[in-house]
Amino acid sequence: MTSHADLKPIRNILIVGGGTAGWLVAGVLASRYPRRGDDGISVTLVESRQQPPIGVGEGTWPTLRTTLKQIGVAETDFLRTCDASFKQGSQFVKWVDGSDSDTYYHPFTLPVGYEERNLAPYWLENPRDQSFADSLCFQTSVCRQGLAPKQITTPEYTGLANYAYHLDAGKFGPFLRDHCIEKLGVKHVYDEIIRIESTESGDISYLATQSGEALAADLFIDCSGFSSLLIGRHFGVPFLSKKDTLFIDKAWAVQIPYATDEAAIGSMTVATAQSSGWVWDIGLSTRRGVGYVFSSSYVSDEGALEELKSYLSARGDLSPALSFRKININTGYRQEFWTRNCVAVGLSAGFIEPLEASAIVVIELSAKSIANLLPGCRGGMQQAARLFNDTFRYRWERIVDFLKLHYVLSRRTDSRFWIDNRARESIPDSLRNYLDFWRDHCPWHEDFSHREEVFSAASYQYILYGMGFQTYPASWLLNDRDRALVREKMNETANYAKALSASLPSNRQLLSKVRRYGLQKI
Ligand SMILES: Cc1cc2nc3c(=O)[nH]c(=O)nc-3n(C[C@H](O)[C@H](O)[C@H](O)COP(=O)(O)OP(=O)(O)OC[C@H]3O[C@@H](n4cnc5c(N)ncnc54)[C@H](O)[C@@H]3O)c2cc1C
């Protein structure tokens, strides 16, 4: 039976936290439900001046282009203000056997022909001494040459190759804040939440602040970062640690200036394996962001810092002026993300190491889901929460599987970290089942049950075959028509790569032009 409380309209949304999560959610909700005087939805964001956002999170996924466009941001403004550059995927160095020639790519552009056919089995039959990614994707060649994914005349948010961004996390939040306040009517409060008050039913009624305000709302969105103020501290929703599967729990981060104004800007995030984790290396338009994510069970903080310094020293980047910052990471996620009238998004909901930049994309997906599921009245919230929790539990499980895949396929034996990563008990059953399945079947759309997967079958193909996994497809499932097609597509790929080499500017050249002239608006 419908109660009086069930009919309470959801009109006021309060977001706690002004990091990347808070402002992305604010932007998505406020642009989807524009204010109509007193009649619409009101979005307010509160953040504490005493607790700054985490300030890391520089690698993104191509979904960010759609999100920024949807909330009305001009790509030129974003690139200029956030010192952003174009990211076209990830390059993995020394992940397979640790040798000097050990490198492979996970580009953002799908393998050629992917929309129509699974060509992976045919490439496996006849790889012609070329890696999977080089054979079926022109983007590896673009990235090797440090080229941009588009030209200055290519309209905003479109590309000749699929791309995301590397961005300055310290500038991204304030950029979104200004946009949300000025263009989307989001209300903004600087204050510290000191107490949470509940109704008799257990919903949050208001948040008491240091300055004596009572911030009431119908829906509260917890974007309070690792402090997990509402979902963790107030509701006590259990945290499911994934440390037994993915061992990373700490990071050292550092910012590296470019040696000259002409220095090349990388087209991919470079992830270089170390004794007890891996180093990320990201080229923004004004500097690089570098960091070592490591497992404290295998190396001390000092030992990890020394390894990071060796990495920098080998590239001529080590200097006494550098300032290294240590960050603790709690690997895992909440048992549920939406409970009563509160949803957690961003680090408060969970975090798994930054390999493959899955955190910001999950924030985008969460914001979109909240906007899509938002009920008109309180009565609809329980079902919205159920659906949201089921979807995101599934997404976190898939992310864990996909990241673990990178470690499971490694053949490195030079440290316990890499050996233990292959221990059977550290591998989720779901991933083991997939690996068994992929022994004679190449990953394909139907292998995953959701319409919108964080990592598609194409991503699995790039990692599996980039790392030398062997699938042995049954010959009676293959045919001559697709054998001819793969040959044709491989030639097409090589020709297109050549054409792009001759026509694309370097990242540096394009970003300089964007600064001077801007990209064409769509
Ligand atoms: C080492 C590392 C590398 C990463 N790299 C990547 C990457 O490459 N790609 C990627 O997608 N993600 C990455 N991430 C994750 C990414 O940084 C985060 O997902 C993203 O920044 C979102 O953070 P957040 O907004 O949830 O939290 P935060 O940035 O921590 O913001 C928390 C906010 O809550 C507010 N707050 C907290 N307590 C209170 C209170 N009591 N009252 C009022 N306000 C309060 C704070 O003021 C702050 O504004 C990385 C994370 C780490 C640790």
Side-chain angles (χ1 to χ4, degrees):
M1 212 177 66
T2 309
S3 73
H4 185 64
D6 286 344
L7 297 175
K8 189 169 182 270
I10 310 298
R11 301 288 288 264
N12 293 298
I13 299 177
L14 181 68
I15 299 167
V16 180
T20 298
W23 285 114
L24 274 173
V25 174
V28 169
L29 291 176
S31 60
R32 175 73 73 85
Y33 301 106
R35 295 193 71 179
R36 298 193 309 263
D38 289 339
D39 184 37
I41 295 252
S42 160
V43 179
T44 304
L45 185 146
V46 56
E47 64 178 308
S48 155
R49 281 193 202 273
Q50 286 96 316
Q51 302 184 50
I54 192 157
V56 284
E58 300 180 332
T60 65
W61 201 249
T63 46
L64 191 59
R65 274 157 59 202
T66 315
T67 302
L68 292 179
K69 193 172 154 197
Q70 273 169 359
I71 68 176
V73 163
E75 190 178 28
T76 301
D77 293 346
F78 159 72
L79 287 165
R80 287 176 180 162
T81 313
C82 302
D83 297 343
S85 63
F86 304 104
K87 170 181 174 184
Q88 299 184 57
S90 296
Q91 180 186 3
F92 296 91
V93 180
K94 294 183 189 282
W95 280 71
V96 181
D97 59 15
S99 69
D100 287 342
S101 60
D102 172 7
T103 185
Y104 76 96
Y105 293 90
H106 174 194
F108 284 147
T109 299
L110 299 172
V112 67
Y114 181 82
E115 303 297 349
E116 315 142 48
R117 297 259 212 302
N118 193 350
L119 294 180
Y122 299 93
W123 171 81
L124 282 163
E125 244 190 348
N126 183 12
R128 289 202 234 160
D129 293 331
Q130 257 195 325
S131 73
F132 175 77
D134 283 343
S135 302
L136 294 176
C137 184
F138 62 86
Q139 197 163 27
T140 52
S141 148
V142 170
C143 292
R144 254 188 224 105
Q145 299 171 76
L147 299 178
K150 62 201 277 174
Q151 292 151 334
I152 190 68
T153 48
T154 318
E156 290 204 326
Y157 295 120
T158 54
L160 301 173
N162 195 11
Y163 69 93
Y165 308 101
H166 289 135
L167 55 84
D168 185 325
K171 296 186 174 174
F172 189 43
F175 170 76
L176 291 172
R177 176 194 65 205
D178 293 349
H179 178 80
C180 287
I181 295 170
E182 287 160 22
K183 304 274 170 51
L184 301 173
V186 173
K187 293 182 208 157
H188 182 214
V189 180
Y190 274 121
D191 214 334
E192 174 100 8
I193 308 302
I194 52 166
R195 211 178 59 250
I196 296 156
E197 291 293 334
S198 306
T199 63
E200 268 179 21
S201 71
D203 277 10
I204 297 176
S205 57
Y206 69 89
L207 308 180
T209 74
Q210 201 163 46
S211 70
E213 294 289 318
L215 302 175
D218 306 308
L219 176 65
F220 293 82
I221 304 190
D222 184 353
C223 297
S224 64
F226 281 135
S227 62
S228 203
L229 208 59
L230 310 185
I231 201 88
R233 285 203 220 158
H234 175 69
F235 281 115
V237 172
F239 183 81
L240 306 178
S241 171
K242 292 291 153 186
K243 176 96 195 298
D244 291 345
T245 299
L246 290 157
F247 310 153
I248 301 286
D249 60 358
K250 285 192 181 185
W252 282 109
V254 63
Q255 299 183 354
I256 308 288
Y258 284 118
T260 70
D261 289 347
E262 273 75 50
I265 298 173
S267 301
M268 290 195 158
T269 297
V270 182
T272 305
Q274 306 294 319
S275 77
S276 314
W278 56 278
V279 164
W280 80 78
D281 198 329
I282 281 178
L284 306 185
S285 63
T286 49
R287 61 163 174 83
R288 275 161 53 221
V290 180
Y292 182 14
V293 276
F294 59 96
S295 171
S296 63
S297 306
Y298 296 87
V299 66
S300 65
D301 292 356
E302 298 72 33
L305 185 57
E306 279 317 304
E307 269 190 82
L308 178 57
K309 286 182 175 173
S310 305
Y311 173 92
L312 296 171
S313 175
R315 286 155 184 79
D317 295 325
L318 191 58
S319 95
L322 296 179
S323 158
F324 294 87
R325 179 180 161 215
K326 195 168 72 184
I327 302 166
N328 291 327
I329 294 171
N330 207 4
T331 287
Y333 50 86
R334 296 280 155 193
Q335 190 171 293
E336 57 183 33
F337 315 97
W338 192 327
T339 191
R340 304 208 64 92
N341 63 339
C342 169
V343 201
V345 180
L347 297 175
S348 64
F351 181 60
I352 310 274
E353 61 169 277
L355 192 67
E356 301 280 9
S358 59
I360 295 174
V361 62
V362 171
I363 294 170
E364 295 172 67
L365 288 166
S366 303
K368 196 166 110 180
S369 277
I370 295 169
N372 287 341
L373 292 169
L374 194 67
C377 298
R378 176 63 182 89
M381 220 181 269
Q382 208 173 334
Q383 178 64 358
R386 220 177 269 132
L387 294 168
F388 186 93
N389 288 331
D390 286 351
T391 301
F392 282 87
R393 208 172 292 123
Y394 172 84
R395 285 188 168 141
W396 282 101
E397 283 164 9
R398 291 285 71 70
I399 290 170
V400 170
D401 276 359
F402 185 63
L403 300 194
K404 182 67 175 177
L405 179 73
H406 297 61
Y407 293 98
V408 171
L409 298 180
S410 175
R411 298 195 294 273
R412 288 184 68 129
T413 51
D414 53 307
S415 73
R416 284 282 0 143
F417 173 81
W418 292 97
I419 296 165
D420 290 354
N421 252 302
R422 296 191 290 274
R424 195 177 162 80
E425 63 277 11
S426 79
I427 307 172
D429 288 347
S430 46
L431 177 58
R432 270 196 268 135
N433 291 339
Y434 273 121
L435 286 169
D436 286 344
F437 184 46
W438 292 330
R439 279 286 158 211
D440 74 0
H441 160 95
C442 296
W444 196 230
H445 307 294
E446 284 79 3
D447 300 5
F448 306 100
S449 59
H450 279 219
R451 190 170 45 86
E452 206 170 17
E453 291 285 337
V454 177
F455 299 108
S456 69
S459 289
Y460 280 88
Q461 291 186 353
Y462 282 129
I463 303 307
L464 284 168
Y465 304 125
M467 296 195 76
F469 182 83
Q470 277 303 316
T471 299
Y472 300 96
S475 59
W476 54 94
L477 296 178
L478 304 182
N479 65 70
D480 287 343
R481 186 198 53 187
D482 287 349
R483 279 194 184 95
L485 185 67
V486 81
R487 281 196 296 275
E488 189 189 308
K489 294 289 181 193
M490 281 168 76
N491 291 338
E492 233 175 66
T493 301
N495 291 337
Y496 192 49
K498 257 190 225 143
L500 288 181
S501 298
S503 63
L504 285 174
S506 72
N507 275 323
R508 167 79 63 194
Q509 284 164 340
L510 180 59
L511 289 165
S512 305
K513 283 190 183 169
V514 170
R515 284 208 175 266
R516 287 178 67 188
Y517 312 114
L519 289 162
Q520 248 186 66
K521 299 238 184 307
I522 342 182

